[in-house]
PDB file of all heavy atoms in Angstrom:
ATOM      1  N   ASN A 843      -7.180  11.176   4.268  1.00 88.00           N
ATOM      2  CA  ASN A 843      -7.715  10.033   3.586  1.00 88.00           C
ATOM      3  C   ASN A 843      -7.345   8.654   4.151  1.00 88.00           C
ATOM      4  O   ASN A 843      -7.410   7.685   3.422  1.00 88.00           O
ATOM      5  CB  ASN A 843      -7.274  10.055   2.029  1.00 88.00           C
ATOM      6  CG  ASN A 843      -8.075  11.120   1.284  1.00 88.00           C
ATOM      7  OD1 ASN A 843      -9.232  11.265   1.592  1.00 88.00           O
ATOM      8  ND2 ASN A 843      -7.463  11.801   0.456  1.00 88.00           N
ATOM      9  N   GLU A 844      -7.095   8.622   5.414  1.00 90.00           N
ATOM     10  CA  GLU A 844      -6.938   7.344   6.069  1.00 90.00           C
ATOM     11  C   GLU A 844      -7.390   7.399   7.490  1.00 90.00           C
ATOM     12  O   GLU A 844      -7.345   8.454   8.116  1.00 90.00           O
ATOM     13  CB  GLU A 844      -5.535   6.834   5.888  1.00 90.00           C
ATOM     14  CG  GLU A 844      -4.499   7.634   6.473  1.00 90.00           C
ATOM     15  CD  GLU A 844      -3.084   7.134   6.214  1.00 90.00           C
ATOM     16  OE1 GLU A 844      -2.896   6.297   5.341  1.00 90.00           O
ATOM     17  OE2 GLU A 844      -2.181   7.405   7.044  1.00 90.00           O
ATOM     18  N   ILE A 845      -7.687   6.211   8.065  1.00 92.00           N
ATOM     19  CA  ILE A 845      -7.994   6.117   9.481  1.00 92.00           C
ATOM     20  C   ILE A 845      -6.794   6.431  10.338  1.00 92.00           C
ATOM     21  O   ILE A 845      -5.667   5.895  10.082  1.00 92.00           O
ATOM     22  CB  ILE A 845      -8.537   4.738   9.864  1.00 92.00           C
ATOM     23  CG1 ILE A 845      -9.966   4.492   9.197  1.00 92.00           C
ATOM     24  CG2 ILE A 845      -8.641   4.560  11.282  1.00 92.00           C
ATOM     25  CD1 ILE A 845     -10.502   3.149   9.271  1.00 92.00           C
ATOM     26  N   SER A 846      -6.855   7.379  11.242  1.00 88.00           N
ATOM     27  CA  SER A 846      -5.697   7.689  12.042  1.00 88.00           C
ATOM     28  C   SER A 846      -5.798   6.947  13.391  1.00 88.00           C
ATOM     29  O   SER A 846      -4.854   6.745  14.044  1.00 88.00           O
ATOM     30  CB  SER A 846      -5.606   9.220  12.245  1.00 88.00           C
ATOM     31  OG  SER A 846      -6.757   9.798  12.650  1.00 88.00           O
ATOM     32  N   GLU A 847      -7.068   6.780  13.922  1.00 88.00           N
ATOM     33  CA  GLU A 847      -7.223   6.053  15.174  1.00 88.00           C
ATOM     34  C   GLU A 847      -8.649   5.429  15.065  1.00 88.00           C
ATOM     35  O   GLU A 847      -9.524   5.930  14.505  1.00 88.00           O
ATOM     36  CB  GLU A 847      -7.221   7.123  16.229  1.00 88.00           C
ATOM     37  CG  GLU A 847      -6.800   6.608  17.565  1.00 88.00           C
ATOM     38  CD  GLU A 847      -6.455   7.694  18.596  1.00 88.00           C
ATOM     39  OE1 GLU A 847      -6.368   8.907  18.240  1.00 88.00           O
ATOM     40  OE2 GLU A 847      -6.473   7.425  19.810  1.00 88.00           O
ATOM     41  N   LYS A 848      -8.665   4.313  15.821  1.00 91.00           N
ATOM     42  CA  LYS A 848      -9.998   3.659  15.961  1.00 91.00           C
ATOM     43  C   LYS A 848     -10.158   3.024  17.299  1.00 91.00           C
ATOM     44  O   LYS A 848      -9.146   2.609  17.922  1.00 91.00           O
ATOM     45  CB  LYS A 848     -10.239   2.669  14.818  1.00 91.00           C
ATOM     46  CG  LYS A 848      -9.270   1.592  14.684  1.00 91.00           C
ATOM     47  CD  LYS A 848      -9.610   0.687  13.620  1.00 91.00           C
ATOM     48  CE  LYS A 848      -8.596  -0.464  13.494  1.00 91.00           C
ATOM     49  NZ  LYS A 848      -8.906  -1.390  12.361  1.00 91.00           N
ATOM     50  N   SER A 849     -11.341   2.758  17.795  1.00 92.00           N
ATOM     51  CA  SER A 849     -11.568   2.206  19.086  1.00 92.00           C
ATOM     52  C   SER A 849     -11.879   0.697  18.893  1.00 92.00           C
ATOM     53  O   SER A 849     -11.998   0.280  17.738  1.00 92.00           O
ATOM     54  CB  SER A 849     -12.770   2.911  19.791  1.00 92.00           C
ATOM     55  OG  SER A 849     -14.037   2.532  19.154  1.00 92.00           O
ATOM     56  N   GLU A 850     -11.992   0.046  20.001  1.00 92.00           N
ATOM     57  CA  GLU A 850     -12.348  -1.377  20.017  1.00 92.00           C
ATOM     58  C   GLU A 850     -13.671  -1.614  19.397  1.00 92.00           C
ATOM     59  O   GLU A 850     -13.978  -2.727  18.931  1.00 92.00           O
ATOM     60  CB  GLU A 850     -12.231  -1.932  21.399  1.00 92.00           C
ATOM     61  CG  GLU A 850     -10.861  -1.998  22.012  1.00 92.00           C
ATOM     62  CD  GLU A 850     -10.937  -2.298  23.513  1.00 92.00           C
ATOM     63  OE1 GLU A 850     -12.015  -2.582  24.058  1.00 92.00           O
ATOM     64  OE2 GLU A 850      -9.816  -2.483  23.988  1.00 92.00           O
ATOM     65  N   ILE A 851     -14.485  -0.654  19.515  1.00 94.00           N
ATOM     66  CA  ILE A 851     -15.928  -0.811  18.944  1.00 94.00           C
ATOM     67  C   ILE A 851     -15.799  -0.953  17.439  1.00 94.00           C
ATOM     68  O   ILE A 851     -16.578  -1.648  16.841  1.00 94.00           O
ATOM     69  CB  ILE A 851     -16.764   0.325  19.276  1.00 94.00           C
ATOM     70  CG1 ILE A 851     -16.838   0.552  20.866  1.00 94.00           C
ATOM     71  CG2 ILE A 851     -18.106   0.163  18.740  1.00 94.00           C
ATOM     72  CD1 ILE A 851     -17.503   1.938  21.192  1.00 94.00           C
ATOM     73  N   PHE A 852     -14.877  -0.251  16.808  1.00 95.00           N
ATOM     74  CA  PHE A 852     -14.804  -0.070  15.388  1.00 95.00           C
ATOM     75  C   PHE A 852     -14.090  -1.391  14.835  1.00 95.00           C
ATOM     76  O   PHE A 852     -12.904  -1.377  14.573  1.00 95.00           O
ATOM     77  CB  PHE A 852     -14.033   1.126  14.946  1.00 95.00           C
ATOM     78  CG  PHE A 852     -14.114   1.513  13.552  1.00 95.00           C
ATOM     79  CD1 PHE A 852     -15.102   2.314  13.114  1.00 95.00           C
ATOM     80  CD2 PHE A 852     -13.184   1.038  12.651  1.00 95.00           C
ATOM     81  CE1 PHE A 852     -15.245   2.620  11.765  1.00 95.00           C
ATOM     82  CE2 PHE A 852     -13.233   1.439  11.285  1.00 95.00           C
ATOM     83  CZ  PHE A 852     -14.371   2.214  10.887  1.00 95.00           C
ATOM     84  N   ASP A 853     -14.905  -2.482  14.740  1.00 94.00           N
ATOM     85  CA  ASP A 853     -14.288  -3.687  14.215  1.00 94.00           C
ATOM     86  C   ASP A 853     -14.531  -3.805  12.747  1.00 94.00           C
ATOM     87  O   ASP A 853     -14.973  -2.882  12.078  1.00 94.00           O
ATOM     88  CB  ASP A 853     -14.941  -4.909  15.043  1.00 94.00           C
ATOM     89  CG  ASP A 853     -16.471  -4.919  14.932  1.00 94.00           C
ATOM     90  OD1 ASP A 853     -17.065  -4.378  14.026  1.00 94.00           O
ATOM     91  OD2 ASP A 853     -17.016  -5.558  15.841  1.00 94.00           O
ATOM     92  N   ASP A 854     -14.442  -5.062  12.217  1.00 94.00           N
ATOM     93  CA  ASP A 854     -14.571  -5.254  10.735  1.00 94.00           C
ATOM     94  C   ASP A 854     -15.897  -5.033  10.263  1.00 94.00           C
ATOM     95  O   ASP A 854     -16.090  -4.963   9.040  1.00 94.00           O
ATOM     96  CB  ASP A 854     -14.118  -6.784  10.438  1.00 94.00           C
ATOM     97  CG  ASP A 854     -12.701  -7.011  10.720  1.00 94.00           C
ATOM     98  OD1 ASP A 854     -11.930  -6.066  10.883  1.00 94.00           O
ATOM     99  OD2 ASP A 854     -12.330  -8.213  10.817  1.00 94.00           O
ATOM    100  N   GLN A 855     -16.917  -4.865  11.136  1.00 96.00           N
ATOM    101  CA  GLN A 855     -18.219  -4.578  10.692  1.00 96.00           C
ATOM    102  C   GLN A 855     -18.350  -3.157  10.113  1.00 96.00           C
ATOM    103  O   GLN A 855     -19.320  -2.845   9.408  1.00 96.00           O
ATOM    104  CB  GLN A 855     -19.145  -4.829  11.887  1.00 96.00           C
ATOM    105  CG  GLN A 855     -20.622  -4.645  11.669  1.00 96.00           C
ATOM    106  CD  GLN A 855     -21.347  -4.534  12.954  1.00 96.00           C
ATOM    107  OE1 GLN A 855     -20.762  -4.428  14.151  1.00 96.00           O
ATOM    108  NE2 GLN A 855     -22.661  -4.509  12.946  1.00 96.00           N
ATOM    109  N   PHE A 856     -17.491  -2.299  10.654  1.00 97.00           N
ATOM    110  CA  PHE A 856     -17.590  -0.872  10.239  1.00 97.00           C
ATOM    111  C   PHE A 856     -16.437  -0.512   9.295  1.00 97.00           C
ATOM    112  O   PHE A 856     -15.338  -1.070   9.215  1.00 97.00           O
ATOM    113  CB  PHE A 856     -17.274  -0.030  11.549  1.00 97.00           C
ATOM    114  CG  PHE A 856     -18.288  -0.175  12.652  1.00 97.00           C
ATOM    115  CD1 PHE A 856     -18.201  -1.208  13.596  1.00 97.00           C
ATOM    116  CD2 PHE A 856     -19.346   0.616  12.710  1.00 97.00           C
ATOM    117  CE1 PHE A 856     -19.084  -1.323  14.629  1.00 97.00           C
ATOM    118  CE2 PHE A 856     -20.350   0.551  13.713  1.00 97.00           C
ATOM    119  CZ  PHE A 856     -20.204  -0.444  14.655  1.00 97.00           C
ATOM    120  N   SER A 857     -16.744   0.518   8.486  1.00 97.00           N
ATOM    121  CA  SER A 857     -15.809   1.105   7.633  1.00 97.00           C
ATOM    122  C   SER A 857     -16.171   2.542   7.364  1.00 97.00           C
ATOM    123  O   SER A 857     -17.297   2.926   7.514  1.00 97.00           O
ATOM    124  CB  SER A 857     -15.716   0.293   6.239  1.00 97.00           C
ATOM    125  OG  SER A 857     -16.945   0.402   5.568  1.00 97.00           O
ATOM    126  N   VAL A 858     -15.152   3.328   6.972  1.00 96.00           N
ATOM    127  CA  VAL A 858     -15.378   4.731   6.671  1.00 96.00           C
ATOM    128  C   VAL A 858     -14.749   5.010   5.382  1.00 96.00           C
ATOM    129  O   VAL A 858     -13.848   4.427   4.958  1.00 96.00           O
ATOM    130  CB  VAL A 858     -14.810   5.653   7.740  1.00 96.00           C
ATOM    131  CG1 VAL A 858     -15.600   5.576   9.054  1.00 96.00           C
ATOM    132  CG2 VAL A 858     -13.386   5.409   8.052  1.00 96.00           C
ATOM    133  N   GLU A 859     -15.279   6.100   4.751  1.00 94.00           N
ATOM    134  CA  GLU A 859     -14.786   6.511   3.409  1.00 94.00           C
ATOM    135  C   GLU A 859     -15.021   7.988   3.241  1.00 94.00           C
ATOM    136  O   GLU A 859     -15.964   8.565   3.807  1.00 94.00           O
ATOM    137  CB  GLU A 859     -15.688   5.736   2.337  1.00 94.00           C
ATOM    138  CG  GLU A 859     -14.888   5.199   1.244  1.00 94.00           C
ATOM    139  CD  GLU A 859     -15.751   4.431   0.173  1.00 94.00           C
ATOM    140  OE1 GLU A 859     -16.993   4.633   0.202  1.00 94.00           O
ATOM    141  OE2 GLU A 859     -15.137   3.721  -0.538  1.00 94.00           O
ATOM    142  N   ARG A 860     -14.179   8.599   2.449  1.00 91.00           N
ATOM    143  CA  ARG A 860     -14.491   9.962   2.067  1.00 91.00           C
ATOM    144  C   ARG A 860     -14.426   9.944   0.543  1.00 91.00           C
ATOM    145  O   ARG A 860     -13.401  10.218  -0.077  1.00 91.00           O
ATOM    146  CB  ARG A 860     -13.308  10.853   2.555  1.00 91.00           C
ATOM    147  CG  ARG A 860     -13.773  12.244   2.482  1.00 91.00           C
ATOM    148  CD  ARG A 860     -13.236  13.095   3.661  1.00 91.00           C
ATOM    149  NE  ARG A 860     -13.911  14.482   3.622  1.00 91.00           N
ATOM    150  CZ  ARG A 860     -13.278  15.520   3.090  1.00 91.00           C
ATOM    151  NH1 ARG A 860     -12.065  15.472   2.678  1.00 91.00           N
ATOM    152  NH2 ARG A 860     -13.931  16.714   3.082  1.00 91.00           N
ATOM    153  N   PRO A 861     -15.489   9.473  -0.085  1.00 83.00           N
ATOM    154  CA  PRO A 861     -15.447   9.080  -1.488  1.00 83.00           C
ATOM    155  C   PRO A 861     -15.232  10.349  -2.481  1.00 83.00           C
ATOM    156  O   PRO A 861     -14.608  10.131  -3.554  1.00 83.00           O
ATOM    157  CB  PRO A 861     -16.869   8.484  -1.739  1.00 83.00           C
ATOM    158  CG  PRO A 861     -17.707   9.101  -0.637  1.00 83.00           C
ATOM    159  CD  PRO A 861     -16.828   9.351   0.480  1.00 83.00           C
ATOM    160  N   ASP A 862     -15.593  11.470  -2.103  1.00 84.00           N
ATOM    161  CA  ASP A 862     -15.616  12.544  -3.122  1.00 84.00           C
ATOM    162  C   ASP A 862     -15.008  13.831  -2.585  1.00 84.00           C
ATOM    163  O   ASP A 862     -15.380  14.932  -3.165  1.00 84.00           O
ATOM    164  CB  ASP A 862     -17.004  12.740  -3.725  1.00 84.00           C
ATOM    165  CG  ASP A 862     -17.963  13.065  -2.603  1.00 84.00           C
ATOM    166  OD1 ASP A 862     -17.549  13.372  -1.480  1.00 84.00           O
ATOM    167  OD2 ASP A 862     -19.167  13.039  -2.851  1.00 84.00           O
ATOM    168  N   GLY A 863     -14.332  13.804  -1.557  1.00 78.00           N
ATOM    169  CA  GLY A 863     -13.753  15.095  -1.004  1.00 78.00           C
ATOM    170  C   GLY A 863     -14.680  15.960  -0.152  1.00 78.00           C
ATOM    171  O   GLY A 863     -14.319  17.017   0.398  1.00 78.00           O
ATOM    172  N   SER A 864     -15.952  15.637  -0.145  1.00 85.00           N
ATOM    173  CA  SER A 864     -16.913  16.407   0.705  1.00 85.00           C
ATOM    174  C   SER A 864     -17.637  15.517   1.686  1.00 85.00           C
ATOM    175  O   SER A 864     -17.694  15.782   2.873  1.00 85.00           O
ATOM    176  CB  SER A 864     -17.833  17.301  -0.147  1.00 85.00           C
ATOM    177  OG  SER A 864     -18.613  16.395  -0.862  1.00 85.00           O
ATOM    178  N   ASN A 865     -18.191  14.431   1.164  1.00 92.00           N
ATOM    179  CA  ASN A 865     -18.860  13.488   2.105  1.00 92.00           C
ATOM    180  C   ASN A 865     -17.933  12.601   2.866  1.00 92.00           C
ATOM    181  O   ASN A 865     -16.808  12.297   2.486  1.00 92.00           O
ATOM    182  CB  ASN A 865     -19.827  12.595   1.318  1.00 92.00           C
ATOM    183  CG  ASN A 865     -20.846  13.339   0.593  1.00 92.00           C
ATOM    184  OD1 ASN A 865     -21.817  13.820   1.319  1.00 92.00           O
ATOM    185  ND2 ASN A 865     -20.894  13.547  -0.659  1.00 92.00           N
ATOM    186  N   PHE A 866     -18.429  12.210   4.058  1.00 95.00           N
ATOM    187  CA  PHE A 866     -17.689  11.269   4.889  1.00 95.00           C
ATOM    188  C   PHE A 866     -18.690  10.274   5.397  1.00 95.00           C
ATOM    189  O   PHE A 866     -19.692  10.608   6.032  1.00 95.00           O
ATOM    190  CB  PHE A 866     -17.022  12.020   6.083  1.00 95.00           C
ATOM    191  CG  PHE A 866     -16.313  11.281   7.046  1.00 95.00           C
ATOM    192  CD1 PHE A 866     -15.286  10.358   6.642  1.00 95.00           C
ATOM    193  CD2 PHE A 866     -16.509  11.478   8.417  1.00 95.00           C
ATOM    194  CE1 PHE A 866     -14.551   9.682   7.626  1.00 95.00           C
ATOM    195  CE2 PHE A 866     -15.740  10.763   9.315  1.00 95.00           C
ATOM    196  CZ  PHE A 866     -14.852   9.800   8.908  1.00 95.00           C
ATOM    197  N   THR A 867     -18.494   9.045   5.118  1.00 97.00           N
ATOM    198  CA  THR A 867     -19.527   8.065   5.328  1.00 97.00           C
ATOM    199  C   THR A 867     -19.052   7.018   6.377  1.00 97.00           C
ATOM    200  O   THR A 867     -17.870   6.650   6.400  1.00 97.00           O
ATOM    201  CB  THR A 867     -19.936   7.321   4.013  1.00 97.00           C
ATOM    202  OG1 THR A 867     -18.888   6.656   3.498  1.00 97.00           O
ATOM    203  CG2 THR A 867     -20.559   8.230   3.035  1.00 97.00           C
ATOM    204  N   LEU A 868     -20.043   6.529   7.117  1.00 98.00           N
ATOM    205  CA  LEU A 868     -19.858   5.346   7.997  1.00 98.00           C
ATOM    206  C   LEU A 868     -20.680   4.192   7.496  1.00 98.00           C
ATOM    207  O   LEU A 868     -21.947   4.353   7.408  1.00 98.00           O
ATOM    208  CB  LEU A 868     -20.204   5.618   9.417  1.00 98.00           C
ATOM    209  CG  LEU A 868     -20.087   4.512  10.405  1.00 98.00           C
ATOM    210  CD1 LEU A 868     -18.758   4.109  10.700  1.00 98.00           C
ATOM    211  CD2 LEU A 868     -20.745   4.986  11.744  1.00 98.00           C
ATOM    212  N   LYS A 869     -20.045   3.067   7.145  1.00 97.00           N
ATOM    213  CA  LYS A 869     -20.860   1.901   6.686  1.00 97.00           C
ATOM    214  C   LYS A 869     -20.836   0.891   7.818  1.00 97.00           C
ATOM    215  O   LYS A 869     -19.801   0.650   8.374  1.00 97.00           O
ATOM    216  CB  LYS A 869     -20.233   1.368   5.406  1.00 97.00           C
ATOM    217  CG  LYS A 869     -21.056   0.148   4.832  1.00 97.00           C
ATOM    218  CD  LYS A 869     -20.351  -0.611   3.690  1.00 97.00           C
ATOM    219  CE  LYS A 869     -20.234   0.203   2.518  1.00 97.00           C
ATOM    220  NZ  LYS A 869     -19.617  -0.536   1.438  1.00 97.00           N
ATOM    221  N   ILE A 870     -21.996   0.332   8.088  1.00 97.00           N
ATOM    222  CA  ILE A 870     -22.128  -0.654   9.080  1.00 97.00           C
ATOM    223  C   ILE A 870     -22.655  -2.000   8.347  1.00 97.00           C
ATOM    224  O   ILE A 870     -23.831  -1.846   7.798  1.00 97.00           O
ATOM    225  CB  ILE A 870     -23.027  -0.311  10.315  1.00 97.00           C
ATOM    226  CG1 ILE A 870     -22.589   0.994  10.868  1.00 97.00           C
ATOM    227  CG2 ILE A 870     -22.895  -1.450  11.365  1.00 97.00           C
ATOM    228  CD1 ILE A 870     -23.612   1.443  11.938  1.00 97.00           C
ATOM    229  N   ARG A 871     -21.828  -2.940   8.188  1.00 95.00           N
ATOM    230  CA  ARG A 871     -22.325  -4.216   7.461  1.00 95.00           C
ATOM    231  C   ARG A 871     -22.965  -5.085   8.515  1.00 95.00           C
ATOM    232  O   ARG A 871     -22.651  -5.106   9.602  1.00 95.00           O
ATOM    233  CB  ARG A 871     -21.101  -4.937   6.962  1.00 95.00           C
ATOM    234  CG  ARG A 871     -20.450  -4.291   5.784  1.00 95.00           C
ATOM    235  CD  ARG A 871     -19.286  -5.210   5.336  1.00 95.00           C
ATOM    236  NE  ARG A 871     -18.078  -4.902   6.109  1.00 95.00           N
ATOM    237  CZ  ARG A 871     -17.205  -3.926   5.914  1.00 95.00           C
ATOM    238  NH1 ARG A 871     -17.491  -3.023   4.942  1.00 95.00           N
ATOM    239  NH2 ARG A 871     -16.237  -3.761   6.678  1.00 95.00           N
ATOM    240  N   SER A 872     -23.957  -5.797   8.031  1.00 94.00           N
ATOM    241  CA  SER A 872     -24.682  -6.765   8.790  1.00 94.00           C
ATOM    242  C   SER A 872     -25.079  -6.304  10.215  1.00 94.00           C
ATOM    243  O   SER A 872     -24.436  -6.742  11.216  1.00 94.00           O
ATOM    244  CB  SER A 872     -23.840  -8.090   8.876  1.00 94.00           C
ATOM    245  OG  SER A 872     -24.523  -9.153   9.495  1.00 94.00           O
ATOM    246  N   THR A 873     -25.969  -5.270  10.271  1.00 97.00           N
ATOM    247  CA  THR A 873     -26.210  -4.607  11.531  1.00 97.00           C
ATOM    248  C   THR A 873     -26.759  -5.601  12.536  1.00 97.00           C
ATOM    249  O   THR A 873     -27.492  -6.552  12.245  1.00 97.00           O
ATOM    250  CB  THR A 873     -27.242  -3.521  11.293  1.00 97.00           C
ATOM    251  OG1 THR A 873     -28.350  -4.019  10.472  1.00 97.00           O
ATOM    252  CG2 THR A 873     -26.667  -2.385  10.575  1.00 97.00           C
TER     253      THR A 873
END
Side-chain angles (χ1 to χ4, degrees):
Chain A
N843 284 321
E844 59 183 23
I845 290 174
S846 52
E847 206 170 344
K848 59 183 181 178
S849 71
E850 291 173 356
I851 303 167
F852 194 88
D853 59 21
D854 292 344
Q855 184 196 8
F856 294 90
S857 62
V858 289
E859 224 180 14
R860 193 143 192 261
D862 56 11
S864 63
N865 291 288
F866 179 50
T867 61
L868 175 69
K869 183 189 289 186
I870 310 175
R871 285 181 279 278
S872 190
T873 48

